[in-house]
Amino acid sequence: MEKIRLADIAESLGLSVAAVSYVLNGKEGKVSARTRARVLEMVKKSGYLPERAEVLLGRNPSKMIGLIVHDHPEYEGAPLENLYYARFISFLQKEVVKAGCDLLIKTAKGWKEAAEFASMWNMQGLIVAGFCDGDYRSLQDMLHIPMTAMDVSSPAPGISSVCADDFKGGVLAGEYLKAMGHSHVLVLTTNLECNDKNRIDGLRSTGIDTEILMIPPTHNARNELLRNYDFSRTRAVFCVSDRQALELSSLLYQRNLRVPQDVSILGFDGIDAGAYACPPLTTVAQDLEQKAHLAVAALDENPSRKVSDVFLCARKSVAYA
């Protein structure tokens, strides 16, 4: 039998998804008694998620905090396998437990899917990561619970957000490369928006000459581009993520180009894999423990923008020019 969705119930009753979710989460003051009765009758007839009924009807106060990660095309269907998110979730789980709650995780391809997930559970709060700034505004308008938007460069008024100090991270990268004698750096990025833009702006603010190489979001397309790129005039590369930096290091090895003797590489994020690469990756690391703490704390506070710290990890992938 085809799965019944929240949107199906709303459509059959001529109601909004938000109105149905209010009823299912026990928000008595949001809808009329007649609307509540219609929704509950339809839920009973449709058999909509019967195993979750006690939670959905708001009879069992939840001790859950949700995390939704955007299933962006860059992650090719496996966003939770991304090492940055894996490490962040590890710290987030600990912070949620400290708050006396359990963590419920879901990936979503769009903000509407995220909103439907939020409406299905009587959660205390929702943490959302990987979406564009405008999506957070749309999602916030659909929710009736506190939300923390992760990695938002310019949050809209009324939205709680947490992001790393991306501009400072770019400055740290630029200052380090200049100290190592580099005056020109090739920048690898998939876009010139939000966090990536702030990291690149910070790099440029140090006065170092930059050249942008836009790379495709998918792995195979990136590999094809970088296999054929002429690195003969490139002595230093700044990658806006460690994942890109490690991929580049592997491709250069396949092309018999040595890191850092031929090309220096500097990444961003500080994932554990970078420390065990050969050579170990120099990177701007995020304080993900602090970031997770701020994300949970923001759910209990008035909407504000919180910034987590970054720091330089100088290893072996950057050599003197």
Side-chain angles (χ1 to χ4, degrees):
M1 186 175 74
E2 186 177 353
K3 180 180 176 182
I4 302 297
R5 303 175 304 152
L6 187 77
D8 297 328
I9 293 176
E11 183 178 357
S12 67
L13 294 173
L15 299 172
S16 68
V17 172
V20 175
S21 70
Y22 289 147
V23 174
L24 297 181
N25 284 283
K27 304 298 179 180
E28 303 288 346
K30 297 287 188 178
V31 296
S32 67
R34 181 174 179 274
T35 297
R36 173 177 167 78
R38 290 176 63 209
V39 171
L40 293 180
E41 182 180 2
M42 180 59 69
V43 167
K44 183 178 180 179
K45 288 181 178 179
S46 66
Y48 172 64
L49 298 177
E51 71 277 10
R52 300 179 187 172
E54 290 301 310
V55 174
L56 291 170
L57 295 176
R59 297 170 184 166
N60 181 22
S62 170
K63 289 289 186 179
M64 291 185 294
I65 291 176
L67 169 68
I68 297 179
V69 177
H70 186 202
D71 189 359
H72 190 276
E74 182 176 354
Y75 304 127
E76 300 181 89
L80 298 185
E81 294 181 20
N82 180 277
L83 295 179
Y84 163 80
Y85 280 126
R87 185 164 173 78
F88 174 69
I89 291 171
S90 177
F91 285 119
L92 184 64
Q93 165 70 17
K94 295 176 183 177
E95 292 296 328
V96 168
V97 170
K98 287 180 185 178
C101 297
D102 293 314
L103 182 63
L104 185 64
I105 303 172
K106 178 178 174 59
T107 62
K109 293 186 180 297
W111 69 265
K112 291 183 179 179
E113 184 181 348
E116 183 170 331
F117 167 75
S119 70
M120 289 166 55
W121 298 92
N122 185 22
M123 295 182 291
Q124 291 191 358
L126 183 67
I127 299 168
V128 190
F131 289 86
C132 296
D133 291 5
D135 292 334
Y136 289 117
R137 174 76 274 172
S138 300
L139 181 56
Q140 179 73 82
D141 291 341
M142 294 284 293
L143 298 180
H144 58 272
I145 57 174
M147 182 186 82
T148 300
M150 301 303 299
D151 299 318
V152 181
S153 57
S154 301
I159 292 182
S160 290
S161 66
V162 176
C163 68
D165 196 338
D166 294 301
F167 186 88
K168 175 185 174 182
V171 172
L172 292 176
E175 290 179 342
Y176 183 72
L177 288 170
K178 288 176 67 177
M180 297 296 282
H182 296 280
S183 58
H184 178 85
V185 60
L186 177 68
V187 177
L188 263 59
T189 181
T190 58
N191 67 82
L192 295 175
E193 302 174 351
C194 304
N195 309 93
D196 289 4
K197 180 180 183 301
N198 290 337
R199 295 171 187 183
I200 296 168
D201 286 347
L203 180 77
R204 286 172 164 168
S205 73
T206 64
I208 196 168
D209 183 43
T210 59
E211 177 185 352
I212 304 294
L213 177 60
M214 300 295 295
I215 57 177
T218 58
H219 176 75
N220 288 340
R222 281 196 304 273
N223 281 1
E224 183 66 23
L225 173 65
L226 295 175
R227 281 195 191 99
N228 297 300
Y229 186 80
D230 182 8
F231 285 96
S232 62
R233 294 176 292 120
T234 301
R235 291 293 173 266
V237 180
F238 173 61
C239 300
V240 296
S241 75
D242 283 351
R243 178 182 180 180
Q244 295 170 5
L246 293 173
E247 284 185 358
L248 175 63
S249 182
S250 175
L251 281 168
L252 292 178
Y253 175 80
Q254 295 172 33
R255 294 180 54 178
N256 295 317
L257 291 171
R258 301 167 299 167
V259 178
Q261 294 92 334
D262 298 321
V263 180
S264 291
I265 300 177
L266 194 153
F268 200 112
D269 282 335
I271 61 176
D272 287 346
Y276 304 109
C278 186
L281 180 66
T282 295
T283 184
V284 176
Q286 298 194 45
D287 188 339
L288 293 184
E289 184 173 12
Q290 180 192 35
K291 200 172 189 180
H293 173 75
L294 292 175
V296 175
L299 295 173
D300 294 325
E301 300 175 4
N302 291 328
S304 62
R305 182 174 185 266
K306 300 181 182 298
V307 180
S308 59
D309 203 9
V310 296
F311 51 93
L312 183 77
C313 289
R315 297 188 180 121
K316 301 294 185 181
S317 66
V318 177
Y320 285 98

